[in-house]
Amino acid sequence: MSVRFPIISVTGSSGSGTTSVRQTFEQIFRREHIAAAFVEGDAFHRYDRESMRRHALEQEAAGNHHFSHFGHEANLMAELEELFRSYSETGTGRSRHYVHDLIAAQQFGQPMGTFTDWTDLPAPTDVMFYEGLHGAAMGDGIDIAQYADLKVGVVPVINLEWIQKIHRDKNDRGYSAEDVTHTILRRMPDYVNFICPQFTATDVNFQRIPTVDTSNPFISRTIPSAEESMVVIRFRDPHGIDFPYLLSMISWSFMSRANSIVIPGGKLDLAMQLILTPMILNLVEKKRRAEIG
């Protein structure tokens, strides 16, 4: 971790809602006049969309039925760790963009499912902000978690995650229910081995839990709304967290454990603003003091 060049990482599995979380961080950065370098986890996939499909088929034919973006093999993990190390030491690094959808294709003038060229991060910046699958990754000779100063986990319970993926892939990408189910099963070992362990290393976890029946996610016709959900917020180290203040500011919230608070799903943005703003300001204040000193 670095005082002069702090890094904030948001780790969430596919479809976990990190896009809306990024918007919350953008609001905080804009309000507090913080310059951030944004890094997308998709940029460090090893293969573009067509190459990934082809490579997954080759892996399956060779007997590997669990090759996925959740695992380290399908990602440029050494390059991602180097970015974290470089920024933490010098405030610089290189990244690119993955052209995920039609809007991005129009923005970058490239086909969907491809990568832009590698470019330098903007400089100077106050913080680096990463969102993706591996913001607190460890193992296989990789330790990205050591470089992040504030690690945030965003993860729905597993049935809700499956519902979100099924609806997104069927409605936005035209996949069949059978195709999505196959993908979920293929990813499961990597999810268990590479995604879940990161949420132990995160400083704060936001876990969304539906309050409607999701016992069979494969027949769910709608995604449970925020109003049909609760969010469990877990602090790795609760020292210094003003729980009475949070309980007074967030209606219908309560503590479930000494390090956990439960809030209505519709209050997630408010909770993140209240919890994360002081943490971010603390990082930036330390950075500015170090620069003056």
Side-chain angles (χ1 to χ4, degrees), residues 72-94:
H72 290 182
E73 186 180 351
N75 294 278
L76 302 174
M77 299 301 294
E79 289 81 352
L80 180 59
E81 182 180 39
E82 172 58 22
L83 169 64
F84 273 61
R85 184 204 62 77
S86 175
Y87 190 90
S88 71
E89 294 179 358
T90 66
T92 63
R94 293 174 63 82

Side-chain angles (χ1 to χ4, degrees), residues 70-72 138-139 187-198:
F70 285 175
H72 290 182
M138 294 175 285
R187 288 177 167 183
M188 189 52 59
D190 283 345
Y191 182 85
V192 171
N193 293 319
F194 296 106
I195 303 299
C196 288
Q198 295 183 76

Side-chain angles (χ1 to χ4, degrees), residues 115-183:
F115 296 106
T116 65
D117 293 333
W118 295 95
T119 59
D120 293 331
L121 296 181
T125 53
D126 297 313
V127 299
M128 187 182 91
F129 175 82
Y130 167 93
E131 57 161 344
L133 293 171
H134 301 107
M138 294 175 285
D140 293 339
I142 297 294
D143 187 356
I144 292 170
Q146 67 176 314
Y147 297 110
D149 301 86
L150 174 58
K151 297 181 285 292
V152 180
V154 182
V155 54
V157 292
I158 191 68
N159 279 19
L160 176 56
E161 180 169 346
W162 290 348
I163 291 173
Q164 292 176 157
K165 178 167 181 58
I166 291 167
H167 280 260
R168 184 191 62 201
D169 285 3
K170 287 176 63 178
N171 298 333
D172 298 344
R173 300 178 180 176
Y175 294 170
S176 68
E178 292 75 17
D179 289 337
V180 184
T181 302
H182 177 75
T183 299

Side-chain angles (χ1 to χ4, degrees), residues 2 17 19 29 44 56 88 110 115 130 134 136 141 143 149 168-169 195 206 215 232 237 252 261 276:
S2 169
T19 300
F29 295 151
F44 290 85
S88 71
Q110 293 186 198
F115 296 106
Y130 167 93
H134 301 107
D143 187 356
D149 301 86
R168 184 191 62 201
D169 285 3
I195 303 299
F206 296 85
S215 52
V232 177
D237 181 3
W252 305 106
I261 184 172
L276 297 174

